[in-house]
Amino acid sequence: QVQVVESGGGLVQPGGSLRLSCAASGSIFSLVAVGWYRQAPGHQRELVATINSGHSTNYADAVKGRFTISRDNAKKTGYLQMNSLKPEDTAVYYCNVVAYTSRRVADWDSYWGQGTQVTVAS
């Protein structure tokens, strides 16, 4: 069984910073990719950032230059550093982990966390 748990959300003023964490545990052999997504009320879930096994990153245009995604393979944890936050960044942030569940490359799966609320308001 695999668990993905996000943490680090909260209320922050515009211009402030937050660091989200995404910890994967259970039957995971190694991480393949980590992605952060967000969903605001009345909107579809959207991609925020991804990082693959080679540490290549991809960002949504709306967060480029403000957010930084990273990962710690040993801890099986992903991070999202969010700076210069804006009210439009308010959303529930979800982590997605793609991971190998054994040494066999065919044994992989995708897992979602439960989400963490980020609210940017004065």
Side-chain angles (χ1 to χ4, degrees), residues 8-10 12 18 20 82 85 89-93 116-120:
V12 64
L18 283 174
L20 305 183
M82 305 186 295
L85 282 161
D89 294 318
T90 295
V92 177
Y93 283 70
T116 185
Q117 177 70 47
V118 171
T119 303
V120 184

Side-chain angles (χ1 to χ4, degrees), residues 64-122:
K64 282 181 181 176
R66 300 188 298 122
F67 291 11
T68 302
I69 190 171
S70 61
R71 57 191 278 173
D72 185 325
N73 292 332
K75 294 182 179 179
K76 298 177 184 175
T77 299
Y79 304 96
L80 185 68
Q81 177 66 44
M82 305 186 295
N83 299 327
S84 302
L85 282 161
K86 304 175 181 180
E88 51 264 43
D89 294 318
T90 295
V92 177
Y93 283 70
Y94 296 92
C95 176
N96 176 261
V97 170
V98 178
Y100 291 119
T101 55
S102 78
R103 293 181 180 274
R104 296 174 63 232
V105 294
D107 293 338
W108 64 272
D109 211 334
S110 174
Y111 307 93
W112 288 91
Q114 81 291 346
T116 185
Q117 177 70 47
V118 171
T119 303
V120 184
S122 52

